Each structure stands twice: as structure tokens, then as C-alpha cells.
Amino acid sequence: LSKTFLVEKSPPTMLRCRLFQEMFPNACFVVIVRHPTASALATVKFAPGVSVERLIAHWIHCHDLLAADLPFLRRVFVLKYEEFAADPDGQLARVQQFCGLDICKIEQKVEPRVNDGYWKQWSEMSWRQRRSAKKWENAARRYGYSLTNWNEPLFSPIYTIDAAFPTPTAEPTTRGTPL
């Protein structure tokens, strides 16, 4: 813990931000969220026997917990993976600015259409499987995603957090009612 910057990037961290904030009061949290179906389809290969629908339900549950924690976090930046993939340098600059870091360009190529394979996989699933998972449509929309139209731009008041906000303070800032 002697480094200037520490990075913890495992997905369960999104549920531990309040704990880490207590442990590291000056921490900046950058939470990268991804389309629930892309996330489920990327995860299903590591969870044999778990349905895509159940993984989408788990995604919704975890994001509900994160949304409930957001008002208690002093310095948090939520970024959609899809926005990062579409504009890696621009989005990285926003994150770096938020964290008070020097702006630098990405040296690796970022594949902007990585979710396309998951959309194709989702489209090829049986009608029954997709219909079953689509019961989570309204919940996914709360977070700016659609299970029926992946390219539909949706506004999410929960995950609309600008890089200029919040500013580092000693007091927690409230960001409205999460749900």
C-alpha cells in the first residue's frame, strides 16, 4: 500500500465501494458498467448450469445495490463500457480529469464493437429464452440499457454522473434518490 495509486478492478468491487471508502478516505471510484446481456453472456461460460436470465437478474440486483450506495460515495465516476469503447481517448480523459491525473492517450487498440458478438448470440437464442430474460427490461432501462434494442440510446438518471461532479470533499455528497 505504499504506491501513489492503487487499482482494484474485479467486478465484486462495485459492491464494496463504501467499505473501501472507509479504508481509503481519499479514494476515487471509477465504476465501469456494461450491458446486462453482454455481461451475462460473457459470464455464462464461467458459470455452467446458470441461465442467462439468472445472470441478468444478478446484474440487476448488483446494480440496484450500487445505486443505493451512490449517494454515500464522495468521489465516484460511473462510465458505461459502451461509451468507453466508442471513444476511448475522450472517456479516458474524463476519468483522468476526475481522478486528478495527467491526461494521456491509450496506447492499446480498443475494439469498439466488442458487444456485437454478444448481440448476435442473444439474437440467435431461442425465443423462449429471450422472452424469459426480457422480464428484466424495465429494470435494465433504469440503468440506461434495453434488452430488446441494444442500440437504443437511453437516459439513466441513476448512472448520469458528470466528470466534474462530484468534487472531492470531506463530506459525503447526495446525488438524489437512486431508485
Side-chain angles (χ1 to χ4, degrees):
L1 299 179
S2 62
K3 302 286 184 189
T4 304
F5 299 102
L6 299 173
V7 175
E8 206 307 302
K9 64 179 190 79
S10 61
T13 298
M14 73 184 280
L15 303 179
R16 299 180 184 134
C17 292
R18 289 173 72 178
L19 169 66
F20 285 137
Q21 182 173 261
E22 288 300 314
M23 295 170 60
F24 307 101
N26 296 323
C28 292
F29 297 96
V30 177
V31 179
I32 301 176
V33 298
R34 186 177 187 186
H35 194 287
T37 307
S39 180
L41 290 168
T43 304
V44 77
K45 61 185 161 230
F46 302 110
V50 180
S51 70
V52 170
E53 177 189 353
R54 192 161 165 215
L55 290 168
I56 291 171
H58 177 73
W59 186 100
I60 297 295
H61 177 69
C62 291
H63 285 73
D64 286 347
L65 294 172
L66 174 63
D69 282 349
L70 287 176
F72 300 97
L73 299 176
R74 290 185 285 271
R75 299 175 71 187
V76 61
F77 186 95
V78 176
L79 173 64
K80 285 186 172 182
Y81 172 79
E82 296 79 11
E83 292 172 359
F84 172 76
D87 179 22
D89 285 323
Q91 295 301 324
L92 180 62
R94 291 178 68 216
V95 169
Q96 291 167 331
Q97 180 183 19
F98 171 77
C99 294
L101 302 172
D102 293 334
I103 305 296
C104 66
K105 297 286 184 188
I106 294 177
E107 295 180 14
Q108 291 182 300
K109 180 173 174 22
V110 175
E111 177 54 52
R113 313 272 316 167
V114 74
N115 279 352
D116 288 357
Y118 293 117
W119 173 246
K120 184 177 185 302
Q121 188 178 344
W122 171 252
S123 300
E124 293 171 352
M125 288 174 62
S126 75
W127 172 83
R128 187 176 309 245
Q129 288 174 304
R130 287 194 321 268
R131 186 184 73 175
S132 178
K134 285 179 187 174
K135 71 181 177 188
W136 299 103
E137 176 70 17
N138 289 337
R141 285 178 170 271
R142 285 198 312 262
Y143 299 104
Y145 290 106
S146 171
L147 302 180
T148 56
N149 182 356
W150 280 25
N151 296 316
E152 182 181 356
L154 297 173
F155 172 74
S156 169
I158 297 170
Y159 283 167
T160 301
I161 297 178
D162 193 306
F165 162 88
T167 54
T169 64
E171 297 298 316
T173 49
T174 302
R175 292 182 189 73
T177 305
L179 295 172

